[in-house]
Amino acid sequence: MAVKVKDIYKSIKEHMEHIDLLAGEGGMSNLIDWFHVVEVAEITDFLEGREMIIVTGLALKENGETLFDIVQKSLQKGASAIIVNTGRHILSVDAEVLEFCNEHSFPLFTIPWEIYMTNIAKIIAQEVNHHFKRKNELVSSFKNAIFFPEKQEFYSADLARYDYQAEWKYCISIIEVEYLDKEDVVPPDELRRIKKYLENMLAYLAPQGIVFRLNDALVICFANCLEESITMIMTQLIDNLPRPFKKMYTMYAGIGRNTLSVRCIHKTYQIARKVVRLQKKLEKSYEILSYKDLGVSQLLLAMDDTEIMNEFYTNKLKQLVDYDQMNQTDHTSFLEIYFEEGCRVQETAKRLYLHRNSINYKLKKIEEILHCDLSDFNVRVELLVALKVRLVL
């Protein structure tokens, strides 16, 4: 959770009146990680994104550049806002610059030459450091809530200090990132880039959301948010990913369940992990899978005793899976489709482009392999559950 442009503006206003917003008001929720003094456009090559740019105009004439050049290149490098020192080297800001800033929601502020820019830099640094401290303490508290749920003193007080109430509902979402070829592990620097994108989006969509890295995954903790809203926000986050990310990576996103209070954050985290694992088994990248939409699989994901589930799967379905592997047949996937079509022969035949006699033949073959009667309702229920268990194991 980084500081926003409007927070910096408010803080400067409290110390001095001589700062004016001239353009780019739509970007006042842009995030700020630090500040950078830029006197020539070439310096923008050193920007990493989310900086507050300070320009005095000291070197503009010497380099034959304009304020517009600096504004344009700063925006291209991901800067969040710019402060222009007017009155000596820059007498006023051209209409062209203001129009550009409004068009791109790039806040542009002016401060008169008489104001020492070192004082402005000091205010920005203090504000940024305060928010970094706040963010780090919140991340630490959420990690403690995940790994030490029984020790409430490790997280409840700190969360409450930053207005995260104990009785709010909390929900964890997890995004796992892989290279398209799945050969290499995504390096930390790349995960930081994706994390920065998520933070930028959440600043608008869910300001109380916290993003952090955990076990090579990106974790988003939503606070006091409805499950329907969380699904919509996660969909927007994934759908609006920059193209370079989508060209390089495969992403799997899973949403846990809303907790009853802060004491249950570890539960929603564990469920989110299982949902992501299920998403990967289904090979549904760039889709959102939410616990609330899983039907009977909700019960299976909530079970901690995998030994019981494995025993059920072995007794009911494993023989069919093994038969398929040994004989290179597709009876297991056929059975899934048959259930998806409501056990209707005609509908299954249409979906698979097969004659109904072929469907009946496959059903009889499955009955032979599993020694069961597929017309028996209880048998169908057991096999359907066994198929779900196979996915979550």
Side-chain angles (χ1 to χ4, degrees):
M1 181 183 295
V3 62
K4 297 179 181 179
V5 173
K6 61 184 177 183
D7 298 323
I8 299 285
Y9 176 59
K10 179 181 177 182
S11 185
I12 294 174
K13 271 286 191 184
E14 289 175 354
H15 289 81
M16 58 191 71
E17 289 294 325
H18 305 293
I19 179 171
D20 296 310
L21 172 65
L22 296 193
E25 186 176 0
M28 291 294 281
S29 290
N30 291 348
L31 303 185
I32 300 291
D33 283 345
W34 197 235
F35 66 91
H36 207 304
V37 178
V38 176
E39 298 296 2
V40 294
E42 185 179 355
I43 298 298
T44 59
D45 291 337
F46 296 96
L47 300 180
E48 296 182 355
R50 301 207 310 211
E51 291 95 350
M52 174 80 83
I53 304 301
I54 296 175
V55 181
T56 67
L58 186 65
L60 284 181
K61 292 181 180 179
E62 296 177 11
N63 288 273
E65 294 177 333
T66 65
L67 177 61
F68 184 81
D69 294 327
I70 292 178
V71 169
Q72 189 176 38
K73 292 186 178 180
S74 295
L75 181 63
Q76 288 173 356
K77 295 296 290 187
S80 296
I82 188 166
I83 297 176
V84 180
N85 207 189
T86 57
R88 184 166 182 178
H89 300 291
I90 300 175
L91 297 180
S92 63
V93 180
D94 294 340
E96 179 189 31
V97 175
L98 300 179
E99 184 179 347
F100 179 85
C101 290
N102 282 325
E103 181 182 350
H104 294 87
S105 296
F106 187 61
L108 184 147
F109 304 92
T110 57
I111 288 180
W113 182 258
E114 294 75 22
I115 304 297
Y116 288 114
M117 295 305 285
T118 52
N119 293 335
I120 300 298
K122 186 176 180 180
I123 293 171
I124 297 172
Q126 289 174 339
E127 195 70 25
V128 168
N129 287 332
H130 169 73
H131 277 73
F132 269 123
K133 179 184 176 184
R134 179 178 188 269
K135 174 189 173 182
N136 290 337
E137 289 184 356
L138 283 172
V139 168
S140 178
S141 296
F142 280 117
K143 286 182 178 179
N144 286 334
I146 289 171
F147 294 111
F148 308 103
E150 72 284 356
K151 298 183 178 180
Q152 257 187 274
E153 66 274 14
F154 283 7
Y155 54 89
S156 288
D158 283 340
L159 290 175
R161 186 152 51 91
Y162 292 118
D163 296 324
Y164 285 76
Q165 303 303 313
E167 301 309 317
W168 277 0
K169 294 182 183 297
Y170 294 86
C171 183
I172 295 287
S173 296
I174 294 178
I175 298 176
E176 291 197 4
V177 186
E178 297 178 351
Y179 278 115
L180 289 176
D181 56 18
K182 299 186 179 181
E183 292 182 1
D184 298 315
V185 176
V186 179
D189 285 348
E190 291 298 296
L191 288 176
R192 276 194 288 271
R193 286 180 58 219
I194 299 171
K195 175 174 168 286
K196 186 173 283 191
Y197 157 77
L198 295 174
E199 288 176 334
N200 289 341
M201 292 289 288
L202 286 173
Y204 296 90
L205 300 174
Q208 291 173 317
I210 301 293
V211 188
F212 54 92
R213 280 184 55 207
L214 190 59
N215 298 331
D216 295 325
L218 294 170
V219 177
I220 304 173
C221 185
F222 292 96
N224 200 29
C225 202
L226 296 175
E227 288 181 330
E228 294 77 11
S229 299
I230 294 170
T231 301
M232 291 174 59
I233 291 168
M234 288 297 295
T235 300
Q236 289 186 61
L237 291 178
I238 296 300
D239 288 350
N240 293 311
L241 274 165
R243 286 187 179 180
F245 289 156
K246 291 188 176 182
K247 288 182 178 179
M248 293 178 64
Y249 309 119
T250 299
M251 295 191 188
Y252 300 93
I255 304 173
R257 67 183 292 260
N258 250 1
T259 68
L260 296 177
S261 72
V262 72
R263 294 178 293 275
C264 301
I265 287 177
H266 68 290
K267 293 182 180 179
T268 182
Y269 170 74
Q270 294 298 338
I271 288 176
R273 284 184 59 197
K274 293 177 181 179
V275 173
V276 169
R277 190 168 68 223
L278 177 58
Q279 189 76 310
K280 293 174 75 172
K281 281 191 175 183
L282 295 171
E283 296 185 348
K284 292 185 176 181
S285 61
Y286 293 108
E287 293 185 24
I288 304 299
L289 188 61
S290 176
Y291 173 79
K292 70 180 180 64
D293 297 324
L294 290 179
V296 69
S297 293
Q298 290 181 345
L299 300 176
L300 303 176
L301 289 178
M303 289 183 64
D304 293 326
D305 197 335
T306 56
E307 185 178 340
I308 292 176
M309 287 195 289
N310 192 56
E311 182 180 346
F312 182 85
Y313 161 72
T314 299
N315 293 336
K316 302 299 179 182
L317 188 66
K318 191 173 185 299
Q319 193 171 349
L320 184 66
V321 175
D322 291 344
Y323 182 93
D324 281 342
Q325 291 176 347
M326 291 176 59
N327 298 277
Q328 296 184 336
T329 52
D330 62 351
H331 295 93
T332 306
S333 58
F334 166 81
L335 188 61
E336 287 181 304
I337 294 172
Y338 178 65
F339 284 140
E340 287 173 5
E341 296 300 330
C343 300
R344 291 172 293 185
V345 172
Q346 188 62 36
E347 296 302 319
T348 306
K350 285 182 180 179
R351 180 168 169 180
L352 295 175
Y353 301 101
L354 294 174
H355 193 276
R356 38 182 312 125
N357 290 344
S358 298
I359 301 299
N360 288 323
Y361 171 79
K362 282 181 171 288
L363 292 173
K364 287 181 181 179
K365 187 63 179 178
I366 291 171
E367 289 177 331
E368 289 176 11
I369 297 169
L370 293 178
H371 309 289
C372 69
D373 179 6
L374 284 173
S375 65
D376 187 318
F377 176 76
N378 290 325
V379 170
R380 291 179 177 178
V381 171
E382 288 174 349
L383 288 176
L384 178 60
V385 172
L387 286 167
K388 300 293 186 183
V389 168
R390 177 170 171 252
L391 287 175
V392 302
L393 280 175

